[in-house]
Amino acid sequence: MKDSQNKQYQEEQALMNPPKKGRNKCVTCICIVLLLLLVLVIVCVILAFTLFKPKDPKTKVVSATLEGISPRLTFPAINIQLNVTLNLKIQVDNQNHASFKHADGTSLLMYKGVEVGDTDIYAGLIPAKGSTILPCRLTLQADKLASNVTGLLGDLMGGQLSLEAVTRIPGRVTFLGFIKKHIVAKSNCQFVFGFPDMEIKSQICKNKAKL
């Protein structure tokens, strides 16, 4: 009876005080798991600030031409007729390590802050580290110039006409299939046309992106 009680007591003590070697293995395993989790977190942070950090798509005008030109200015009754179509080819460079899927965009033709023409840019997909050319055809709507006939007349008499093309292309980049970042690529180009030949004398383009 006494021997049985001693054996039971020893078993209880063994359960309450497992071998030191077993405890060390358990602690080691926990430390390894925590270390792996820490390494995983560090790797994710590094990727978030490098590989997976969204970069601005770069837009630039690679070609600008005019067609359908028939400007006419008559006196003494002032009659201004302009039939001008501005053809742009806008290159969009995707600097991300993921494809850039853009929705329908818009391009506006502006004169002294007033919209005088517009066109749509169709949706598409630009591959990772790739680029594409987007055609943009802007027709000047002469009737919309009526609100600023004085300024327009002064420009034409001075031999040059300044117009601005503002392009907006919304889209998003997707990393690993689930990390999504929305980006809006914008470009702003100012063109100076000679009058009456209506040739492009100069152009200045700036681009930016809104994350």
Side-chain angles (χ1 to χ4, degrees), residues 143-162:
D143 59 311
K144 292 188 176 182
L145 292 170
S147 61
N148 198 352
V149 175
T150 303
L152 176 62
L153 183 60
D155 288 344
L156 297 180
M157 294 298 291
Q160 65 179 27
L161 177 64
S162 180

Side-chain angles (χ1 to χ4, degrees), residues 8-194:
Q8 184 178 359
Y9 173 78
Q10 291 175 358
E11 290 176 352
E12 291 176 353
Q13 289 297 316
L15 292 173
M16 294 176 62
N17 300 288
K20 191 173 183 180
K21 186 176 181 181
R23 290 202 306 271
N24 290 339
K25 285 184 178 180
C26 185
V27 171
T28 301
C29 290
I30 294 174
C31 290
I32 291 174
V33 171
L34 292 176
L35 181 60
L36 290 175
L37 289 175
L38 179 61
V39 171
L40 182 61
V41 170
I42 293 174
V43 170
C44 290
V45 171
I46 293 175
L47 290 176
F49 283 96
T50 55
L51 187 63
F52 296 151
K53 182 180 180 180
K55 298 178 181 179
D56 300 349
K58 299 295 184 181
T59 58
K60 62 181 179 180
V61 174
V62 294
S63 175
T65 58
L66 291 169
E67 67 177 39
I69 305 167
S70 60
R72 186 167 57 184
L73 179 62
T74 61
F75 294 100
I78 298 177
N79 182 20
I80 303 173
Q81 295 182 9
L82 289 173
N83 179 19
V84 178
T85 298
L86 177 61
N87 288 318
L88 302 180
K89 289 185 178 180
I90 301 173
Q91 178 174 315
V92 183
D93 296 319
N94 179 18
Q95 304 181 86
N96 293 285
H97 292 276
S99 59
F100 174 54
K101 184 177 182 180
H102 64 88
D104 292 337
T106 57
S107 189
L108 305 178
L109 191 62
M110 311 291 291
Y111 174 70
K112 297 186 183 300
V114 177
E115 180 186 337
V116 294
D118 65 84
T119 190
D120 293 327
I121 298 176
Y122 297 113
L125 181 69
I126 305 175
K129 291 295 184 178
S131 63
T132 191
I133 301 292
L134 302 177
C136 184
R137 183 181 174 90
L138 290 160
T139 299
L140 177 64
Q141 299 173 14
D143 59 311
K144 292 188 176 182
L145 292 170
S147 61
N148 198 352
V149 175
T150 303
L152 176 62
L153 183 60
D155 288 344
L156 297 180
M157 294 298 291
Q160 65 179 27
L161 177 64
S162 180
L163 296 173
E164 182 180 6
V166 180
T167 303
R168 181 180 183 275
I169 306 173
R172 69 184 181 188
V173 290
T174 304
F175 300 99
L176 299 178
F178 66 94
I179 303 176
K180 298 179 180 180
K181 295 291 183 180
H182 292 270
I183 300 175
V184 178
K186 299 179 179 180
S187 68
N188 185 307
C189 292
Q190 294 180 332
F191 299 91
V192 176
F193 305 96

